[in-house]
Every structure is written in C-alpha cells, then in structure tokens.
Amino acid sequence: MFKALLQGAAVAALLAASASAQPASPPAGKEVTTVSGVTVNSHRPAASDFGRLPAIAHVSISPDGKHIAAITTPDGVTGFISVWSTDAMDQKPYIIPPTNMQGFQFFDVQFVKNDRLFVTFRTLVAGLGNGDGSKNQRFIFQSILMSPSKDGPPPANIIPKRPAQTDADQFMQNGLAVRIVNVLPGDPKRVLVRDETDGTIYRADVMTGQLDVVQRGSDTYGYYVDPKGEPRGRERSVGDGGNIAQLDEFKTPNGGWQEGFKWLVKDREQINFAAFDDDPNAILAVSRAGHEKAVIESYDITGRKPPEVAFGHPFFEATGVVRSRRSKDYGHVLGFTYNADTERTYWTDGEFEALEKNLRAALGVTMDTMTWTDPATGKEGKIQTMHDYDVSILGYSDDMSRVLVEKSGPSQPPEYYLLKDNKLILLGKSDPQIDLQDLGHTRMVEYPARDGLIIPAFVTTPNKALFGPGPYPTIVTPHGGPWGRDELEWDPTGWTQYFAARGYAVIQPQFRGSDGWGQKLWRAGDREWGGKMEDDMEDGLKWMIAQGITDPKRVAIHGYSYGGYAAFDASVRPNGLYRCAIAGAGVSEIARFQELTNQNDFIRNYQRPTVEGVSPLQHISDVTIPVLAYHGDTDHTVSRTESERFTNALAAAHRPYKFVELPNMDHQLVYWTPQNWRDILLTVDDFLKTSCQMGTQ
C-alpha cells in the first residue's frame, strides 16, 4: 500500500544528484484565476502572493557559526536548501535541489553538527481516507542527514525499524518522522532522536544514520532526556473510567524512579514537564494546578518538598522554558516564555536580555502601551504590545559571535538577519512580493461581553491612506479548536491581510473557550457551543460598530474547523448581524464531534464533558443568509460529509448556499500546498463579492 515511501538507499541516491541546479526565477505579475474562473488583476497583493511557500524559512546556524542553512523557494513552489558561508556573505549560497519524485518537498532543515544537517521532507503517498469517499492520499514526513557542503559525505537515512504495520490509518496519522531531542554537543558523531510513531529514543550516527536504542518506547511510557542525553523522566496514564490521571516520574541520583507530579485529567489543571533544571534534584513544569494562569513551577524530586513558583505573570499564561543551545552550557535555563500579545520571553540571563534590547533598537521596533483588564479578576495594568513587528533570536554560534535574528509581526512578513561584528546582514525576506504599504494594521483590544466577561481580540484595519478612516466592511474570523487562540503575528494564510488589502476590517475574537488566556475565560466556554461562545463573537462585532470601525450593513463571518462550526451556527441565528456565513471544514452536527471525543480515555475525560450546545444542522429552517461551505477532498480530521450534509439540507429547504470541494486539500496547515492557500482565498473572496455583495475592491 505504501509503495511511494522512500526506503534505504533510494533517498540517498535521489539526494546525491547534482547540486549544481539553480532555483527558478519567481513568476512575473499578479494575475490569478479563481476556482470559479473569475480573473483578478489588482495592484493589491493577490492570492498568489499569499498562496506560495516562503522565499526563505527554517533558518539555522552551525554551532561554530561558519555556515547558515535555510529552505529557499524562489518560485513559491519548489524548495531548495541554501547554505551560506558566514565569512563570505557576499557570495551566492551552495544550493541543494529537491529530488524529482512526485510530491517530494523539503520541509525543515537544522544544523545538528558543524558538518551535518538534519533535514525533514514530506512526500505524498497513498493511504486510507475517512470512509466518506475522501481521496486516498496524504503527506507523510521523513528525515535524513545531509552535508552542508558539496564535498561532504553522502546523505544518510534515519528510518527506524518497526514491526509490520497493522493499522494503516494510524501509520498515515503518524508518518515516519523522527525528531531531534538532543544534539549531544560533546559527541561529534551522534545525536539523539525520538521516533514520533512509538516514542523510542535512539542514538543516531550523523554520518551513517545507524540507530542504536537508548530507550525503547511503549504504549505505557513516554520518556524525556536530560541535557546530557540520559532518559531521566517518563510519563504515563494511570487509573480508568472517569479517574484517568497523568503521572510523571523522574530518576533520582541513585537510579530509582520517583513521582514528580500527577494530575487528574477531568480536573483539567494540567502539569506538563518543561525542562530539567540545573539542579539535578529539580525539574521544571508548566502548571495550572491551583493557578488561574499557568506558571512555571520547580519540583524537588528527592526531598518531596511542595513545588515552588519559578516564574509567573500577573496577566498572562506561562508557556515554557528557554534553554541554552551553546556547547558550554547546553540546557542551561536562560529564561521563561509566556503568551501575551504573542509569545514573549522573560530573560533570566542578562546577556540575552541585553541582546534582545539592542536588536530591537537596531531594527526600529516600537511598542504600544495599553491598559489591560484581566478577564479573571478585573484588575487593570499597563502592558506593551508590538506596533507592527518585533524581533526574535533564532539561533547563535557557541561563542555568540554570530546570531540569527527574525523580524516579523502582523504587518511584517518575516525577514531574516545575521548579526556579525555588530552589523546586521539581511539574509532574505519570506514574502518579498508583498508591498507592506498595502497591508493593514493589527492591534490587540478588549471588549465586554453582554454578561460582563472581558474578551480579548485582535483587530486588523485597512490602510487609511488607501481606504479612508472607515467604517469598513468587516469579517469576523473565529479561530479553530475551540481550545486555541490567536496571536499578534504574521498571518501566512492571508485571512487577515489579504482582506485588509481589499478594504476589509477583520476581528479575531478570543471568545470564551479560547485557551491560553487563563482558566476563567477557557472554562467559561464549557457546554456553550453555539451559545455564549457565539454571543462573544457577536458582541465583538457590536463593539466594532460602536467604535466606528465596522459598517453594520456589510458584515460576514468566516471560520475554519471549529471556526467553521461557528460560521454554520451564525447562519442559523436570527440576529440579522451577518450578510453571509463562510464555513471552512466545519462541524455541522455536534453529536458527530462528540463521538470523536469518545474515542480514547484521555479525550473522553478531558474534553467530552465540555462539548454541548447547538447543532446547526438541526436548524436549517432558520437560515436566511447565503452560506458558503468549502472543504478539502482529502480531509482526515473533519469529514467532508459535515459540509455536504449541511448544504444538502440547505438545498432541500431552498436556502441560498454554495458548496466548494477544494482539490487535494487535507485539514491541517502542515499538509497544505500553495494551491490550497490560493483556492481558499479566491473561493472566499469571490463569494464575498458576489453572493454576499460586500462591495469591496
């Protein structure tokens, strides 16, 4: 069944082909054709400008700082690996081309040694669908070790030996990817990798790909390794029925296993391992146990002392630990991360704190100050959010003489720089085809829901020089999940900036049920599907109208996955706020989603009790506005029958609708192709202009 899988020497032979080929030139012009055949030719960014792979991405630097590698895609379709010498940045990079195998694409690249790259690629293979007629294909992920030099050794495969597959769909879900868990900086020839299918940890020879088992994975335990590469932590589920718990255990200095922490799944007060501390008797975890907002706690695994808070933010949730990648102090804690307007770092290391401050000054970062009201307590405080963009430290050499920097934000596609000799050298721009003057401005706001709960949101408004001060036609764009959240960052889908460049305002409400804003907001969404969760979206729209941002006569809702459910539900609500509803890969019958949450003990305890509410399919007679449903024909997550059943019912009830099946498109973004991105933008744009009659450019 899986004949398209690359095996053994086949990959090496394909990748050992001549590396002299040069990338193709970017296509000229911005003319594109919609799925329905409508041609768009505009000076605004076109769908093809968003529906293309980044010109540069996945940038990595070698430990000695002598080379930089990245995936470069000049034509937006075909990716190459480019390798620069940091001592000769004025020279063209060495180019490693892809193979000619159908569906083969470079996906990620990372230096693991000075002379070795860990490369992940994806390949389209045959597999199982959903049993609903979905196309029988999917991308899977594989990894290989390569040389950053044309004179280096040949590629080496990393393909763990596994028992014969008995569950083909499980195989398709997991693919063949392995993940780096420790680069073993003191070992010039080996790294540690984890097989993402069964959790086995291997010591991999970076020249030959030879894999030696360090810790065998199992259905019972998942393991963590410490900075030295030793498996010192493990996690497993305990209990049964409605009392499933997650237990984390850690090795003590004498070699025994000691409980670190345990949490009852149905309580949803997660404690997740984050890092080994410098103290061998302590570990760090992201904990919600007893906290409104997640904090970083330190657990003593030998003294059995109560955990201590190592880091917490008064308004936002802690998310993780930043550890050193330098050989001299590999794994040392440098700081903590938390989710605010975007993920931010609180540095405990003065060198990195100063570096970030200086980079912001050098790249002209400006911040906005706003008064923030905590949704849980109502307490107010001043916070800073990025204005258009901010900087991130992506990587650095062991001696810190060379640093990789990313500049990006909601109005700034990523740009990559090398800091060397106190000078910033531009490596490349991810989307050079997009004129920043055409883009809108995005900011974080808050508004009160009808019951008084404070709801965060992100609002994008068009460039006033192009479209005036407003009010504007507006799109409400609820996120998926529903246990997800948006951030103040570049939106590669184009669902904000593509439409802002056409005169739309966009609001992304962080409705109750959104995760990452604290327990109160998250839990307030329990059993409120189509109820108060939907109220929050409408209240955000009413706030936009009151602010003079939105033209109340020109409003649409467009959501994907859970956001697609929200759009279906909006169409059956008799509120008159929306001119149309657009649902991408949406759930239309809540009972079918409830069935999915019963498929394993963890989700049955964790999420199933929260999923109650309105089934839009049962309220077709209440639909009075045009509805667009679009769905990928290879969706392995939400069956396309969800969209088909809803639109078939609309047809039977003589309600206005359109159903578009998008070819060769799976559910998650990680599986999407440039054509998928373009198809969505053009399908939605065409519907807004025609059936919805929003009256924009």
Side-chain angles (χ1 to χ4, degrees):
M1 179 177 291
F2 304 108
K3 293 182 179 179
L5 296 180
L6 304 182
Q7 296 293 339
V11 179
L14 287 166
L15 294 182
S18 171
S20 60
Q22 294 298 313
S25 300
K30 293 185 177 181
E31 185 175 280
V32 293
T33 303
T34 67
V35 175
S36 61
V38 177
T39 298
V40 178
N41 196 354
S42 171
H43 67 286
R44 307 290 181 228
S48 58
D49 292 323
F50 287 94
R52 54 186 289 135
L53 298 178
I56 181 172
H58 304 286
V59 186
S60 179
I61 190 168
S62 60
D64 62 10
K66 292 183 178 180
H67 292 92
I68 293 170
I71 296 179
T72 55
T73 315
D75 65 355
V77 177
T78 305
F80 300 77
I81 295 176
S82 294
V83 182
W84 291 264
S85 168
T86 58
D87 289 327
M89 293 301 295
D90 58 334
Q91 297 181 12
K92 291 183 178 181
Y94 164 60
I95 302 295
I96 303 173
T99 73
N100 58 1
M101 177 168 282
Q102 183 180 6
F104 179 101
Q105 295 177 341
F106 286 130
F107 191 79
D108 195 10
V109 62
Q110 171 188 352
F111 270 103
V112 291
K113 305 293 180 185
N114 292 326
D115 56 353
R116 215 59 170 158
L117 297 169
F118 181 80
V119 179
T120 301
F121 58 91
R122 67 180 190 177
T123 310
L124 193 64
V125 302
L128 293 182
N130 283 340
D132 63 352
S134 296
K135 280 193 176 179
N136 207 17
Q137 61 183 25
R138 189 171 209 183
F139 282 111
I140 65 164
F141 296 84
Q142 295 175 261
S143 299
I144 197 168
L145 291 156
M146 301 181 67
S147 172
S149 167
K150 63 182 178 182
D151 301 319
N157 293 303
I158 305 180
I159 301 180
K161 295 180 180 179
R162 298 188 180 89
Q165 285 291 337
T166 57
D167 186 339
D169 195 51
Q170 175 75 11
F171 180 87
M172 294 302 297
Q173 291 291 335
N174 291 310
L176 281 176
V178 295
R179 185 185 302 275
I180 298 287
V181 295
N182 192 308
V183 299
L184 299 178
D187 187 333
K189 293 185 178 181
R190 295 172 181 83
V191 296
L192 290 187
V193 300
R194 179 173 58 236
D195 181 346
E196 292 298 276
T197 299
D198 67 5
T200 297
I201 296 173
Y202 297 91
R203 186 173 287 107
D205 187 307
V206 298
M207 294 301 166
T208 66
Q210 174 66 37
L211 297 174
D212 298 315
V213 175
V214 173
Q215 179 64 61
R216 179 66 65 185
S218 71
D219 293 335
T220 304
Y221 289 107
Y223 287 86
Y224 315 121
V225 299
D226 66 12
K228 294 180 180 179
E230 297 296 324
R232 280 211 298 125
R234 64 187 187 185
E235 180 182 73
R236 64 188 173 105
S237 294
V238 295
D240 55 24
N243 293 300
I244 301 294
Q246 291 294 107
L247 170 66
D248 281 58
E249 300 172 313
F250 298 89
K251 271 188 180 178
T252 59
N254 64 10
W257 289 96
Q258 175 72 53
E259 178 181 320
F261 48 79
K262 182 169 69 173
W263 60 281
L264 198 62
V265 172
K266 67 181 181 182
D267 290 345
R268 290 162 52 199
E269 292 195 339
Q270 304 98 310
I271 310 174
N272 297 318
F273 170 77
F276 288 96
D277 201 351
D278 294 337
D279 180 350
N281 296 321
I283 56 97
L284 297 169
V286 181
S287 174
R288 281 178 168 167
H291 303 286
E292 155 60 23
K293 294 178 177 61
V295 300
I296 307 295
E297 287 187 331
S298 177
Y299 288 78
D300 185 322
I301 58 176
T302 55
R304 310 302 297 144
K305 299 176 183 177
E308 296 181 352
V309 175
F311 170 77
H313 193 284
F315 294 131
F316 301 111
E317 296 219 284
T319 55
V321 179
V322 181
R323 292 167 287 179
S324 172
R325 288 172 256 172
R326 297 174 296 199
S327 298
K328 68 177 183 180
D329 59 354
Y330 188 77
H332 171 66
V333 176
L334 301 175
F336 305 101
T337 57
Y338 62 97
N339 267 340
D341 55 337
T342 188
E343 186 170 78
R344 298 202 166 276
T345 301
Y346 174 83
W347 297 105
T348 56
D349 183 282
E351 181 180 6
F352 279 85
E353 181 181 30
L355 175 60
E356 182 181 75
K357 180 180 179 181
N358 292 335
L359 287 170
R360 283 175 170 165
L363 288 171
V365 172
T366 59
M367 307 294 282
D368 295 328
T369 300
M370 68 174 291
T371 299
W372 184 257
T373 302
D374 182 13
T377 64
K379 292 182 179 178
E380 294 185 348
K382 298 292 185 182
I383 65 168
Q384 288 195 320
T385 65
M386 74 174 77
H387 183 72
D388 284 319
Y389 59 85
D390 204 347
V391 298
S392 301
I393 300 169
L394 294 183
Y396 38 84
S397 60
D398 277 345
D399 62 3
M400 297 297 293
S401 65
R402 293 163 173 82
V403 179
L404 286 179
V405 182
E406 177 183 334
K407 168 187 172 182
S408 65
S411 303
Q412 171 67 66
E415 295 179 354
Y416 300 96
Y417 295 83
L418 170 66
L419 176 64
K420 176 189 172 187
D421 299 329
N422 292 321
K423 295 181 181 179
L424 284 167
I425 302 168
L426 177 65
L427 288 171
K429 301 180 179 183
S430 68
D431 296 275
Q433 73 282 358
I434 294 178
D435 187 343
L436 303 189
Q437 298 300 313
D438 292 334
L439 303 181
H441 175 67
T442 306
R443 60 192 175 102
M444 186 164 73
V445 303
E446 292 181 300
Y447 61 85
R450 63 193 66 181
D451 63 359
L453 183 64
I454 298 298
I455 307 296
F458 297 95
V459 172
T460 302
T461 49
N463 185 336
K464 292 182 180 180
L466 298 175
F467 297 99
Y472 310 105
T474 296
I475 306 172
V476 178
T477 307
H479 59 70
W483 290 354
R485 61 157 284 170
D486 295 303
E487 295 186 351
L488 206 60
E489 60 184 19
W490 176 247
D491 173 18
T493 67
W495 296 354
T496 53
Q497 291 293 0
Y498 174 87
F499 291 104
R502 280 152 179 77
Y504 293 92
V506 179
I507 180 171
Q508 298 165 274
Q510 308 303 289
F511 47 87
R512 68 192 71 202
S514 298
D515 198 3
W517 299 97
Q519 293 258 13
K520 181 175 181 179
L521 185 70
W522 180 42
R523 291 175 182 268
D526 291 0
R527 297 174 294 279
E528 289 290 349
W529 286 50
K532 292 181 180 179
M533 296 167 80
E534 204 82 21
D535 291 345
D536 293 344
M537 301 172 205
E538 294 180 358
D539 292 342
L541 178 56
K542 292 175 181 177
W543 179 87
M544 293 274 285
I545 294 170
Q547 297 294 311
I549 299 171
T550 292
D551 178 350
K553 296 181 179 180
R554 294 189 292 167
V555 178
I557 182 170
H558 169 216
Y560 186 85
S561 196
Y562 172 82
Y565 162 84
F568 280 143
D569 186 70
S571 74
V572 304
R573 286 192 142 207
N575 52 38
L577 293 178
Y578 302 109
R579 290 183 72 123
C580 63
I582 302 170
V587 173
S588 62
E589 191 169 24
I590 203 167
R592 295 166 74 86
F593 185 81
Q594 290 170 330
E595 290 175 9
L596 294 176
T597 62
N598 281 323
Q599 291 183 359
N600 67 67
D601 287 341
F602 184 92
I603 298 298
R604 184 164 52 250
N605 279 261
Y606 191 61
Q607 189 176 28
R608 173 61 186 86
T610 74
V611 183
E612 297 285 352
V614 177
S615 282
L617 186 60
Q618 308 304 318
H619 299 273
I620 290 295
S621 61
D622 293 328
V623 174
T624 59
I625 59 175
V627 176
L628 166 66
Y630 66 87
H631 219 115
D633 66 354
T634 62
D635 197 317
H636 288 74
T637 302
V638 176
S639 170
R640 73 178 185 191
T641 58
E642 291 289 322
S643 293
E644 289 176 336
R645 285 159 61 89
F646 193 80
T647 52
N648 287 343
L650 288 173
H654 305 290
R655 298 298 193 266
Y657 79 96
K658 184 175 184 179
F659 174 63
V660 177
E661 182 181 274
L662 298 182
N664 304 314
M665 186 175 120
D666 208 330
H667 193 81
Q668 285 90 0
L669 273 66
V670 71
Y671 297 119
W672 288 4
T673 66
Q675 187 63 50
N676 297 152
W677 301 79
R678 293 194 295 270
D679 284 350
I680 292 174
L681 290 175
L682 294 170
T683 298
V684 173
D685 193 16
D686 180 55
F687 188 79
L688 289 172
K689 290 176 180 177
T690 56
S691 298
C692 202
Q693 297 182 347
M694 293 287 276
T696 61
Q697 296 188 21

